[in-house]
Amino acid sequence: MSGVQMIEVGADEAGQRLDRWFRGRFPGLTQGKLQKLMRTGQIRVDGGRVKASDRVDAGQVVRVPPGVEEAAAKPAPARTQRLDLDEAAALADELKHRVLYMDDDVLAIDKPAGLAVQGGSKTDRHVDAVLDRLKFGAKDRPRLVHRLDRDTSGVLVLARSRMAAKALGDVFKDRDAGKIYWAVTEGVPTPRQGLIDAPLSKGHGPGGGELMRVDELQGKSAKTGFRVIDAAGDRAALLELQPLTGRTHQIRVHCAAIGTPILGDPKYGPRTSPFYDLGVPRKLHLHARSLDLDLPGRRTIHVEAPPPPHMLETFGLLGIDPGNDQDR
């Protein structure tokens, strides 16, 4: 049986109800068992007694009593590091070579496509697993303050201190971070510049998996600005996209909704494509291109990530030129 765990709340978890926080990390832990552990004082936050409805803040420390993982049907692996030492060292070394920006508060890396930010039931190799190896001389391990989908490449920002995590968490929560994405789409949108305003809600795909969908009646507001940077005739386009809200898979669903799905999108794009016959890689062509951060009392931090190799290959195959941007 495992001993007491002291787990720090991440900036991306701030504001959650405590019971929801536990469900995210220990999915198999029943509500009844959780309530009992709280009533008996075995679960505490910053040393104090808590209720299920209490909300957690970034940097708070949650006491998780012995046996919680064993009581859960399937323990959440977000903080479980299953990589062996050689694998962890190799991943950390790779990420060290992908640093885009670093100061006393902020660390930004160019996350490769295919690498998860946090773990899951079948995911051992992820950024969170090696954060202890990315301190670069700082006292604390860097903290995640936002996420990218596993298959999305590009700028991923980490906080290098507890205070920075709180400040950056507020920036992302208030939608004050200027995010720009690049995507290669099948087809060219008409008009070539505009705003996609399509509310989104959660639904289910044919296999029962969760999918986001446009839902004008019950969906939550979702807005994405877009413009064409360059196009390959009417076959494909390189789009610059700016999400103005932060819904799950927002850019991917919005691109599909206007008839120009993102190349290589297994959830919202077509299963087959003539582009694959041309040698276009079967990878998601979505890239977090740049991020602008306004931190209190500081100048704006601008971080930019180069396109990943599979998108550069597609540019060459389709004759798309990112430098042919007339509006830049």
Side-chain angles (χ1 to χ4, degrees):
M1 180 177 291
S2 60
V4 172
Q5 300 180 65
M6 306 298 287
I7 302 178
E8 184 173 311
V9 177
D12 55 334
E13 299 169 319
Q16 290 186 14
R17 283 173 53 113
L18 184 57
D19 54 359
R20 182 179 177 187
W21 182 90
F22 265 93
R23 283 197 297 272
R25 289 177 175 268
F26 304 95
L29 185 64
T30 66
Q31 186 73 9
K33 176 68 173 178
L34 181 62
Q35 293 277 14
K36 181 178 179 180
L37 292 172
M38 291 181 184
R39 285 197 307 271
T40 57
Q42 296 182 68
I43 289 176
R44 293 173 178 262
V45 175
D46 286 346
R49 287 179 174 264
V50 287
K51 304 187 299 293
S53 60
D54 289 346
R55 296 188 179 273
V56 295
D57 290 326
Q60 287 186 316
V61 176
V62 181
R63 181 190 188 273
V64 180
V68 165
E69 291 195 35
E70 287 77 6
K74 51 173 185 175
R79 295 288 178 179
T80 301
Q81 298 192 20
R82 298 172 182 167
L83 291 180
D84 64 34
L85 293 178
D86 289 340
E87 291 173 324
L91 177 56
D93 188 60
E94 177 186 357
L95 295 179
K96 287 177 182 177
H97 285 86
R98 301 180 72 93
V99 171
L100 300 168
Y101 176 87
M102 182 168 60
D103 61 24
D104 291 342
D105 301 312
V106 177
L107 171 64
I109 61 174
D110 180 10
K111 187 190 81 67
L115 178 65
V117 173
Q118 290 184 296
S121 58
K122 298 181 180 179
T123 304
D124 301 335
R125 188 175 184 270
H126 50 89
V127 175
D128 194 33
V130 297
L131 290 184
D132 284 325
R133 297 171 179 263
L134 299 177
K135 293 181 180 179
F136 293 100
K139 176 183 177 182
D140 301 324
R141 77 195 303 260
R143 294 163 167 83
L144 297 168
V145 291
H146 73 123
R147 294 187 180 98
L148 294 177
D149 290 344
R150 177 202 299 265
D151 295 323
T152 301
S153 60
V155 180
L156 178 70
V157 167
L158 307 165
R160 302 192 69 207
S161 68
R162 178 174 174 176
M163 290 183 63
K166 178 64 170 63
L168 286 167
D170 290 342
V171 168
F172 283 101
K173 181 181 178 181
D174 295 338
R175 310 299 305 167
D176 289 335
K179 298 180 181 179
I180 296 294
Y181 287 77
W182 278 7
V184 180
T185 61
E186 294 197 42
V188 182
T190 303
R192 293 166 70 98
Q193 182 170 342
L195 176 70
I196 306 168
D197 185 354
L200 302 180
S201 67
K202 292 181 180 180
H204 295 283
E210 185 176 275
L211 288 176
M212 300 299 291
R213 63 186 179 188
V214 174
D215 185 345
E216 297 288 351
L217 295 178
Q218 298 182 0
K220 295 181 179 180
S221 175
K223 299 180 181 181
T224 305
F226 74 93
R227 68 182 184 90
V228 175
I229 295 176
D230 195 25
D234 60 0
R235 299 179 301 154
L238 171 60
L239 301 188
E240 178 185 276
L241 299 128
Q242 183 177 14
L244 304 178
T245 51
R247 307 304 173 200
T248 301
H249 296 169
Q250 175 176 313
I251 290 175
R252 296 164 64 180
V253 180
H254 275 176
C255 284
I258 63 172
T260 54
I262 298 175
L263 275 174
D265 191 337
K267 281 183 174 286
Y268 305 103
R271 293 183 177 273
T272 61
S273 169
F275 290 106
Y276 300 145
D277 296 333
L278 298 176
V280 169
R282 291 175 178 263
K283 292 184 177 182
L284 182 67
H285 286 60
L286 180 62
H287 177 64
R289 171 62 171 171
S290 66
L291 193 60
D292 290 309
L293 298 170
D294 288 316
L295 294 178
R298 298 185 47 168
R299 62 180 176 82
T300 298
I301 298 172
H302 175 78
V303 185
E304 190 171 288
H310 71 278
M311 287 182 66
L312 291 175
E313 183 179 350
T314 297
F315 294 165
L317 288 169
L318 301 184
I320 290 175
D321 181 7
N324 193 34
D325 186 355
Q326 301 300 315
D327 295 328
R328 187 169 56 182

